[in-house]
Amino acid sequence: MKLDDDKELVRQVLNGNTDSFNIIVNKYEITILKIVYNMIRNKEAAEDITQEVFITAYNKLYMYIDKYKLSNWLIQIAKNKTIDYIRKYKKVYEANIDDFYDMASKEEGPDSIAEFNETRTVIGNFINTLDETEKDILILRYSGERSFGDISQILNLNESMVKRKYYNLRERFMSYRKSSRVKEG
């Protein structure tokens, strides 16, 4: 079981086995990097923040509460480090549709390319209307397919609130998409 494996790795690290921490880094580095990159859209900064996340995790591993998933704890550290970075550099990062959906056109025809671009624009415009919590819910749900329980833990929100916000976002998007089509037509 994944949770038990992580608990054992943490126990080994706390007993002085640094090789176990390398296993943790290898296991979660890509996930953390993707989440950080999705928040700031800067590859070099995302790599630096990811490194900081694991340094912090190593130094504060004794604070990890093993009834929770290690991945959620690491994601919370990553989110906090990224927010600190954004505050420090006072940069506003807009969500990009490519962060949320890996959409690829199978056909090369101009109609399918135009439809793909139109869909991407509609989704991107919708995402730009969301607040930070709503964007965070979408990022966590679609970049790593996190459960509602995981998302609620990471964002420190009630799980039912996360579900309600997520399904509300889906409904709002459907209405937004319909109204976008009506305006064009």
Side-chain angles (χ1 to χ4, degrees):
M1 183 180 209
K2 187 176 177 181
L3 186 58
D4 290 337
D5 292 345
D6 286 346
K7 285 180 187 179
E8 179 58 24
L9 288 169
V10 168
R11 189 188 64 70
Q12 289 175 11
V13 173
L14 292 173
N15 288 330
N17 182 346
T18 56
D19 289 338
S20 293
F21 191 74
N22 290 333
I23 294 169
I24 292 171
V25 171
N26 289 334
K27 189 174 183 180
Y28 294 110
E29 184 174 33
I30 298 299
T31 300
I32 298 299
L33 182 62
K34 283 180 183 178
I35 288 169
V36 172
Y37 180 79
N38 283 336
M39 290 177 74
I40 61 171
R41 304 291 298 157
N42 179 312
K43 183 178 183 249
E44 292 78 22
E47 289 170 349
D48 291 344
I49 293 168
T50 299
Q51 187 175 13
E52 284 181 41
V53 166
F54 286 104
I55 291 168
T56 299
Y58 183 79
N59 290 329
K60 298 195 181 222
L61 198 57
Y62 66 92
M63 296 174 72
Y64 166 66
I65 300 169
D66 68 4
K67 73 177 185 178
Y68 301 112
K69 290 182 179 179
L70 180 62
S71 61
N72 290 353
W73 185 68
L74 293 170
I75 290 169
Q76 185 62 52
I77 293 170
K79 186 175 181 295
N80 291 339
K81 291 281 183 195
T82 305
I83 290 169
D84 290 346
Y85 171 86
I86 292 169
R87 284 182 186 145
K88 181 177 178 181
Y89 293 99
K90 294 182 171 94
K91 294 181 180 177
V92 176
Y93 296 93
E94 291 298 329
N96 185 324
I97 186 59
D98 297 330
D99 298 339
F100 298 101
Y101 300 98
D102 184 24
M103 300 174 77
S105 175
K106 302 285 185 220
E107 301 172 26
E108 296 296 323
D111 289 344
S112 63
I113 291 171
E115 185 178 334
F116 171 78
N117 288 335
E118 177 186 328
T119 302
R120 186 169 69 176
T121 300
V122 169
I123 295 171
N125 290 341
F126 174 74
I127 289 170
N128 288 332
T129 68
L130 304 179
D131 66 33
E132 287 306 309
T133 301
E134 292 167 334
K135 288 178 186 177
D136 287 345
I137 289 170
L138 288 180
I139 288 170
L140 292 168
R141 187 74 177 160
Y142 289 106
S143 71
E145 300 174 8
R146 301 248 164 241
S147 71
F148 290 117
D150 290 346
I151 294 168
S152 69
Q153 211 174 57
I154 292 164
L155 298 179
N156 199 23
L157 297 171
N158 180 301
E159 184 175 345
S160 62
M161 179 186 284
V162 170
K163 286 180 183 177
R164 195 169 43 251
K165 283 183 173 285
Y166 174 77
Y167 289 113
N168 182 283
L169 284 169
R170 287 178 51 174
E171 291 292 319
R172 282 173 42 202
F173 176 70
M174 297 307 249
S175 297
Y176 184 87
R177 187 169 68 180
K178 281 181 187 175
S179 70
S180 293
R181 286 185 178 153
V182 168
K183 288 175 190 173
E184 290 173 7

